[in-house]
Amino acid sequence: MKFIDEAKILVIAGKGGNGVASFRREKYIPMGGPDGGDGGRGGSIYVIADRNINTLIDYRYTRKFLAQNGESGRGADCYGKGGDDIIMHMPVGTVISDAVTGDVLADLDKDGKKVLLAQGGRGGLGNIHFKSSTNRAPRQCTKGEPGEEKELKLELKVLADVGLLGLPNAGKSTFIRAVSAARPKVADYPFTTLHPNLGVVRVDDNKSFVIADVPGLIEGAADGAGLGIRFLKHLARTRVLLHIVDIAPMDPDADPVADAIAIVGELEKYSPELASKPRWLILNKLDLLPEEERQEHVDAFLSAYRERSGFDGPVFPIAAISGEGCRPVVYAIQAALEEIRKQDEAAEESGESPLTPSPSVDE
């Protein structure tokens, strides 16, 4: 199925039915009183988060959703039928905002979460409601109210605990294949990943976390180079970023240190908040280096990178193609996520807003 993470739609709730002015007319009762019924309410439009859906493709090609109008009232105290509601199913992680004002209307961050998008109009009142001791034959009735109409922007932000960051061909897809059952495409050319891939990493029977692989960044991505930065929104909900660096590039003119710094710069241009998330350094493709030279190569890279960037986070040298060094990364991530969750729970209990602190992990 084609991955679609953005869409614009128009939702129009149903109009309420009109009330009616009617009088009872039966044999032998020539002067019956008012018996006009109310109009039915218009149908409303709801959205519900569904974990069985992972794309917004249904809303890319069907862009207008109209709920049913309410029926008008009739005589003999007959009330109009209410219009049927529309319930739209969207992926968990979808953010719905007003396309005109930009205000966020709903964040479907939990499976089964249901939100009202457009309220149906109320039905009009029949003349039965206007009778009184001084107005025994009322001819007043009211019309139904129009339903709400909104133009909405849908934006899917996948739910993952860990996000992968790096240049094209740095080995992000190979890493996610090594630690999970996900099988994204892997090839020896840039931009083999064209849309986000999710994988569930099982540490043991009762512990797991979700990892997200997004298309690679290049220098100038914030200005539209390569695939740009449109997929970085899928890292917004992550707790930890894994910056994967090709420690042994095939291009002799490549500078891994400069490339790694450039990626962080693109991240800061896109979102300072995202750039402030805990970020770990994963030095990949150790298998391309002679075994006796690996540590020296890693030390030289770290010395230059830390001097130029000030990075002081955890570092893990790995060879994703063979799985070498991947399990320690997985165990460290699980421990860090558990610590973050504990601190978030403590913050909620104390009435403070949960924060995502930098985890303390031994290198």
Side-chain angles (χ1 to χ4, degrees):
M1 181 180 292
K2 188 175 181 181
F3 183 85
I4 302 293
D5 59 357
E6 290 183 354
K8 279 190 176 182
I9 61 173
L10 178 66
V11 294
I12 304 175
K15 176 182 178 299
N18 297 327
V20 68
S22 174
F23 295 90
R24 184 181 178 192
R25 290 293 182 264
E26 295 182 25
K27 191 175 183 180
Y28 307 121
I29 308 178
M31 301 294 290
D35 65 354
D38 298 346
R41 65 163 183 84
S44 299
I45 299 179
Y46 295 87
V47 62
I48 188 168
D50 190 338
R51 65 182 178 185
N52 297 312
I53 303 174
N54 57 12
T55 175
L56 293 171
I57 191 170
D58 292 339
Y59 304 98
R60 173 61 66 90
Y61 304 108
T62 304
R63 302 203 172 194
K64 182 181 288 188
F65 296 85
L66 295 88
Q68 191 177 34
N69 293 334
E71 292 183 354
S72 296
R74 294 184 292 274
D77 294 349
C78 290
Y79 284 47
K81 178 185 176 183
D84 293 334
D85 295 332
I86 290 179
I87 299 180
M88 307 161 65
H89 291 258
M90 294 184 186
V92 178
T94 302
V95 176
I96 304 171
S97 57
D98 190 303
V100 178
T101 64
D103 295 336
V104 175
L105 304 180
D107 186 356
L108 306 181
D109 55 352
K110 294 182 181 179
D111 181 49
K113 185 175 182 178
K114 188 176 182 181
V115 177
L116 174 66
L117 293 182
Q119 177 71 56
R122 291 187 298 180
L125 300 177
N127 66 338
I128 193 173
H129 292 280
F130 296 95
K131 64 181 179 181
S132 67
S133 59
T134 58
N135 186 9
R136 304 181 65 180
R139 287 171 171 76
Q140 302 102 308
C141 60
T142 60
K143 292 185 177 181
E145 298 178 354
E148 291 183 321
E149 178 177 339
K150 296 177 182 177
E151 186 178 1
L152 304 176
K153 180 181 179 182
L154 312 180
E155 191 174 24
L156 175 59
K157 297 180 180 179
V158 298
L159 297 179
D161 301 298
V162 179
L164 302 183
L165 189 69
L167 285 170
N169 272 42
K172 300 185 299 301
S173 295
T174 305
F175 178 78
I176 199 174
R177 289 169 69 101
V179 300
S180 75
R183 290 295 176 265
K185 182 179 179 180
V186 173
D188 58 353
Y189 55 85
F191 298 112
T192 52
T193 301
L194 299 177
H195 57 77
N197 294 297
L198 295 180
V200 177
V201 181
R202 296 207 171 274
V203 181
D204 58 34
D205 291 341
N206 300 317
K207 294 181 179 180
S208 65
F209 58 87
V210 179
I211 193 167
D213 171 28
V214 299
L217 293 177
I218 63 175
E219 189 170 4
D223 300 319
L227 293 179
I229 55 176
R230 63 181 295 259
F231 292 107
L232 283 180
K233 63 189 172 189
H234 296 291
L235 303 181
R237 302 179 190 271
T238 58
R239 299 300 187 95
V240 177
L241 296 177
L242 299 186
H243 185 178
I244 298 184
V245 178
D246 183 353
I247 195 69
M250 301 299 293
D251 184 359
D253 297 327
D255 183 352
V257 174
D259 290 340
I261 293 174
I263 293 301
V264 177
E266 297 300 322
L267 194 65
E268 291 173 344
K269 289 180 184 178
Y270 172 76
S271 169
E273 181 181 357
L274 184 58
S276 67
K277 287 181 178 290
R279 183 169 51 87
W280 299 4
L281 206 57
I282 310 297
L283 305 182
N284 191 23
K285 302 189 181 181
L286 283 182
D287 53 298
L288 298 181
L289 297 172
E291 191 168 350
E292 63 276 8
E293 299 178 10
R294 291 180 181 178
Q295 190 58 50
E296 181 182 354
H297 206 88
V298 169
D299 291 343
F301 173 87
L302 288 178
S303 176
Y305 182 72
R306 284 172 170 161
E307 181 180 354
R308 295 171 60 178
S309 67
F311 177 80
D312 61 352
V315 180
F316 295 88
I318 68 167
I321 191 71
S322 63
E324 178 185 350
C326 291
R327 296 313 295 176
V329 179
V330 168
Y331 293 135
I333 291 173
Q334 182 64 42
L337 291 175
E338 290 177 357
E339 182 63 26
I340 290 173
R341 291 188 185 110
K342 288 180 182 178
Q343 295 188 19
D344 285 351
E345 290 173 0
E348 288 179 355
E349 290 177 0
S350 63
E352 300 175 1
S353 56
L355 300 176
T356 303
S358 299
S360 176
V361 178
D362 295 335
E363 298 179 12

